[in-house]
Amino acid sequence: MRALNIITLLLIIVGGLNWLLVGIADFDLVAAIFGGQDTALATIVYVLVGLSALWQLVPFSRSMSVGETAAQSNIGHR
């Protein structure tokens, strides 16, 4: 489960950076790497980023029910 959370988090970061580039430079990095927005590989990446965001709702909702995220609770406990 931890590996899946790390993978999905990395995919969300990739998606966020891609949207940053689209916003400031009108440049879609995923499309540039995989040959255009309409290619099968780019579509797969877009879908995986979206599914990763949905998956990350689970730990996010758990952290909201506890009241703080695990990262916040570990500050100063080293």
Side-chain angles (χ1 to χ4, degrees), residues 3-75:
L4 186 58
N5 283 336
I6 291 170
I7 291 167
T8 57
L9 186 57
L10 287 173
L11 282 167
I12 291 171
I13 291 168
V14 167
L17 292 173
N18 192 57
W19 276 112
L20 174 67
L21 290 171
V22 169
I24 34 182
D26 198 26
F27 179 72
D28 187 339
L29 182 62
V30 172
I33 291 172
F34 295 108
Q37 289 181 335
D38 297 330
T39 64
L41 286 175
T43 301
I44 290 168
V45 171
Y46 297 137
V47 169
L48 288 175
V49 168
L51 290 173
S52 295
L54 289 175
W55 178 262
Q56 284 296 318
L57 288 173
V58 173
F60 175 73
S61 65
R62 286 182 187 153
S63 71
M64 295 305 287
S65 67
V66 172
E68 62 183 51
T69 63
Q72 290 173 330
S73 67
N74 288 330
I75 294 174

